[in-house]
Amino acid sequence: MNKPIAELISTALNNEMPASEIEKLMEKPKMMELGDVAFPCFTLAKKFKKSPQVIASEIAQQLNSTLIQEVNVVGGYLNIFVNQQMVTENVLQTILREKDQYGSMQTGKGNVVIDYSSPNIAKPFSMGHLRSTVIGNALANIAEKNGYNAVRINHLGDWGTQFGKLIVAYKLWGDKEAIEASPIGELLKIYVKFHERAETDESLNEQARASFKSLEDGDEEALALWKWFRDASLKEFETIYDLLGIRFDSYAGEAFYNDKMDAVVGELKEKGLLALSDGAYVVQLEDMPPCLITKTDGATLYATRDLAAAMYRKKQYEAKKTFYVVGNEQSLHFKQLFNVIEKMGYEWSKDLQHVAFGMMLKDGKKMSTRKGKVVLLADVLAEAIETAKRNIEEKNQALEQKELVARQVGVGAVIFNDLKNNRMNDIDFSLEQMMNFEGETGPYVQYTYARISSLLEKGDFKEQAIQYDALGEYAWPVIQLLEQYPIIVQKSFEQADPSQIAKFSLHVSRAFNKYYAHSKILVEDEWKQMKLSFAFSVAIVLKDALSLLGISAPNKM
């Protein structure tokens, strides 16, 4: 709707303003009685040396199209009422024809690399890791909906000084059988104990540094412990990923780049970018602190590893774009990283994007693994599923596949609670709020889909071409939303913002439920199958929107 109208306005302006720019300025009026689409003419006043109202009036006189029902000029605004019948029938025909392909924007080609989740080995998968995991997964799904091939990478935190600490802690307090029975729980226990003791015993930190040096030097015992910690952790992580329905194409973590960093340091040296600073090598950058490449003892750092990873991924995947889904506290690190790659002469540095997000807080404070102040994601998911199960027992005891539906609803509630928020906002963890199944929640959207599925079953649904007159006045707000879905899909990728899909699904659910409350759908009349076909169109889009977020859509709840 917006695109063809923007093209008409551009033509009325003798193509002196591209339709793409006009479309960006177009708005939805606050009240339906003002119009379906509004175009503010204020920004054109300087260009055309006329008042916004005069410009709006001149455009209005030239807008002759069957798409447009009525045009009004209010102040500097051009308010347009569209031909609702034409738009309704066109949108619904398109959805029914394309089914789950509706909204697919095949504008993208090639690989998009998405680096997300990235938990630390031997540490619990906490609620703090949820954000990167679900935002990254949704972004990968959205990239594919836009025509790209998403390469999903779990850049595991499987190297670093914490392994020195863990090796020391294991030798002092570890219980092999207990760790094999509950790897991450036991490893966390001794890791926390290490930090508590190290506050009063500095020798523990010295032992940890020595242990990590042994690991870097290839000591067999240290390597065997590291591999054991890694394998046990991954096995436990997999149960979480399976529950969330999340997969990866690569688990190449920090350790994978151990033999690839010397080449990067060599290239930096060869290009004259390394500078000595207090015994360490850095790359000097404008308007920000220098990027530290090697420490005084020659040890490499995060930046060195991420440089090696960026080079490897570009060569391996020929990525058109790379997203790093990492908390906003790492913003400086990524600015430095992208600047260094640019200084190295690689134009593809502009294709790298840090997809930052706010923190998951507990009682207003950051969660800390060191102090043991974590909320385990596995525990939250288990409780969410149990809550969903209790709701099912109370409201629909006869429901088939209760366990499956409880899992879909419980897990969906946790994922949706995160993704409905603008990713830059901090989220204060509250299980009670997350499991409130009314209002702006995943279960509300899932229930709307299940309600439509039930209607289709009761009405013995047979897909039918839809006439505008069959639907009634409350259908139009739903149509306007459905028509916007392809644009929402595109914007959510361009802005790396899955919350746009989540909010869209809520708006559609509310609009349809209002329609349902005012419309008799299952009445045996000539319009019944048309109204069911309309409901089916809504279900197609809701299910697709949920799938982009990584959430299942149960047929019954």
Side-chain angles (χ1 to χ4, degrees):
M1 188 164 67
N2 283 16
K3 189 173 183 179
I5 291 174
E7 288 168 356
L8 289 168
I9 294 172
S10 181
T11 301
L13 293 170
N14 297 317
N15 298 314
E16 290 189 49
M17 188 174 192
S20 57
E21 287 184 31
I22 291 169
E23 193 176 354
K24 287 175 186 174
L25 293 171
M26 289 166 72
E27 301 173 2
K28 183 172 174 57
K30 290 180 181 177
M31 292 179 286
M32 286 181 67
E33 54 267 28
L34 293 176
D36 298 311
V37 179
F39 176 62
C41 298
F42 305 100
T43 56
L44 305 180
K46 188 175 180 182
K47 181 180 178 68
F48 292 102
K49 296 182 172 55
K50 296 176 184 177
S51 75
Q53 188 161 0
V54 168
I55 295 168
S57 297
E58 289 178 352
I59 294 172
Q61 290 168 19
Q62 298 180 63
L63 292 183
N64 298 313
S65 168
T66 53
L67 175 62
I68 295 174
Q69 191 87 33
E70 184 184 338
V71 182
N72 295 322
V73 174
V74 181
Y77 279 91
L78 191 68
N79 288 346
I80 299 167
F81 291 87
V82 300
N83 183 326
Q84 293 186 9
Q85 179 177 347
M86 180 184 287
V87 172
T88 295
E89 292 177 3
N90 180 57
V91 168
L92 297 179
Q93 282 169 16
T94 304
I95 295 171
L96 292 174
R97 183 179 66 251
E98 297 182 358
K99 301 292 193 295
D100 62 357
Q101 290 305 302
Y102 180 68
S104 294
M105 304 294 288
Q106 297 305 314
T107 50
K109 287 182 173 62
N111 291 332
V112 168
V113 168
I114 301 157
D115 175 332
Y116 64 107
S117 195
S118 311
N120 289 320
I121 291 299
K123 292 184 183 177
F125 204 117
S126 74
M127 283 299 292
H129 295 104
L130 177 71
R131 303 222 64 196
S132 173
T133 305
V134 299
I135 292 170
N137 184 60
L139 194 51
N141 294 336
I142 293 164
E144 289 173 344
K145 188 79 174 176
N146 276 275
Y148 294 97
N149 175 54
V151 181
R152 302 155 186 260
I153 295 179
N154 194 341
H155 187 74
L156 295 168
D158 59 1
W159 202 251
T161 54
Q162 73 266 29
F163 287 99
K165 295 173 183 178
L166 208 51
I167 288 168
V168 172
Y170 175 71
K171 287 181 176 178
L172 288 172
W173 311 296
D175 181 327
K176 191 170 187 293
E177 288 182 6
I179 290 171
E180 283 176 346
S182 176
I184 291 179
E186 288 299 315
L187 290 171
L188 173 64
K189 194 185 294 181
I190 61 173
Y191 183 77
V192 170
K193 188 172 184 177
F194 176 93
H195 280 279
E196 288 172 349
R197 298 291 177 88
E199 285 180 7
T200 55
D201 185 356
E202 179 56 33
S203 69
L204 286 173
N205 285 322
E206 290 170 13
Q207 289 176 55
R209 283 190 285 270
S211 289
F212 182 59
K213 183 72 168 62
S214 297
L215 184 59
E216 286 192 306
D217 291 343
D219 177 78
E220 284 188 16
E221 184 190 17
L223 276 172
L225 284 173
W226 170 81
K227 189 175 185 307
W228 179 40
F229 296 156
R230 188 183 192 276
D231 291 348
S233 298
L234 263 181
K235 191 175 179 183
E236 201 159 321
F237 291 158
E238 280 294 346
T239 62
I240 299 286
Y241 292 133
D242 287 345
L243 201 51
L244 291 170
I246 288 173
R247 63 178 176 81
F248 296 95
D249 298 303
S250 167
Y251 284 89
E254 293 177 40
F256 180 77
Y257 298 101
N258 281 346
D259 61 352
K260 297 171 180 62
M261 288 183 289
D262 286 347
V264 172
V265 175
E267 185 177 345
L268 289 168
K269 196 175 290 183
E270 187 183 312
K271 291 180 174 176
L273 294 172
L274 283 186
L276 201 58
S277 175
D278 296 327
Y281 279 102
V282 302
V283 175
Q284 298 290 351
L285 301 169
E286 294 77 37
D287 303 321
M288 66 184 81
C291 182
L292 191 58
I293 301 298
T294 61
K295 292 195 281 191
T296 51
D297 61 0
T300 52
L301 292 110
Y302 280 123
T304 332
R305 247 167 244 282
D306 279 347
L307 283 168
M311 303 294 173
Y312 174 83
R313 291 168 184 173
K314 183 64 182 176
K315 185 177 178 182
Q316 182 76 7
Y317 303 114
E318 297 180 349
K320 301 288 183 186
K321 197 166 184 64
T322 298
F323 293 109
Y324 294 84
V325 188
V326 183
N328 58 21
E329 64 270 25
Q330 294 295 320
S331 291
L332 175 60
H333 166 74
F334 285 106
K335 282 179 186 172
Q336 291 175 317
L337 177 71
F338 302 161
N339 266 268
V340 171
I341 293 170
E342 185 182 7
K343 275 182 167 289
M344 293 172 81
Y346 294 113
E347 285 189 12
W348 50 266
S349 62
K350 68 181 184 303
D351 301 324
L352 308 175
Q353 182 179 345
H354 175 209
V355 180
F357 55 85
M359 290 186 289
M360 182 73 75
L361 307 175
K362 184 185 179 189
D363 302 323
K365 296 177 183 176
K366 185 179 178 181
M367 297 179 186
S368 169
T369 309
R370 289 184 180 187
K371 296 176 181 177
K373 292 182 179 178
V374 292
V375 177
L376 300 185
L377 180 55
D379 293 346
V380 171
L381 291 173
E383 193 164 345
I385 292 166
E386 192 56 41
T387 302
K389 204 181 295 181
R390 284 197 301 272
N391 283 350
I392 290 168
E393 289 293 344
E394 287 172 18
K395 297 174 183 177
N396 191 1
Q397 284 190 357
L399 180 69
E400 296 174 7
Q401 297 184 300
K402 289 180 189 175
E403 295 287 333
L404 173 62
V405 175
R407 191 160 68 246
Q408 290 174 330
V409 173
V411 171
V414 174
I415 295 174
F416 196 91
N417 182 72
D418 190 299
L419 295 180
K420 74 178 182 183
N421 294 283
N422 183 299
R423 60 177 165 81
M424 291 305 294
N425 294 342
D426 290 342
I427 300 176
D428 208 335
F429 169 73
S430 164
L431 189 61
E432 184 181 354
Q433 184 181 340
M434 193 179 292
M435 295 311 300
N436 177 2
F437 284 16
E438 301 295 329
E440 297 190 348
T441 66
Y444 174 71
V445 179
Q446 288 174 314
Y447 181 72
T448 304
Y449 176 81
R451 166 181 272 174
I452 296 172
S453 298
S454 176
L455 281 172
L456 298 176
E457 186 179 336
K458 288 177 184 175
D460 191 23
F461 168 57
K462 295 175 182 64
E463 190 178 315
Q464 196 172 104
I466 301 165
Q467 294 174 30
Y468 170 71
D469 294 339
L471 303 180
E473 62 178 306
Y474 289 96
W476 178 239
V478 185
I479 301 296
Q480 286 179 294
L481 287 165
L482 298 180
E483 193 265 342
Q484 289 291 304
Y485 187 53
I487 296 164
I488 298 288
V489 168
Q490 188 172 24
K491 282 185 178 177
S492 63
F493 176 74
E494 289 171 352
Q495 297 169 19
D497 180 17
S499 74
Q500 294 190 36
I501 303 283
K503 287 167 185 167
F504 168 83
S505 69
L506 283 169
H507 295 326
V508 171
S509 297
R510 279 196 217 102
F512 178 80
N513 285 324
K514 188 173 182 180
Y515 170 81
Y516 177 73
H518 290 86
S519 305
K520 293 178 179 177
I521 296 175
L522 295 181
V523 173
E524 293 296 337
D525 59 22
E526 60 182 312
W527 308 119
K528 176 184 162 186
Q529 291 303 331
M530 289 187 190
K531 287 184 279 189
L532 286 173
S533 293
F534 167 57
F536 179 51
S537 301
V538 176
I540 288 169
V541 176
L542 277 182
K543 185 176 183 178
D544 194 68
L546 285 171
S547 74
L548 292 183
L549 300 175
I551 298 172
S552 299
N555 290 320
K556 294 182 180 179
M557 280 175 66

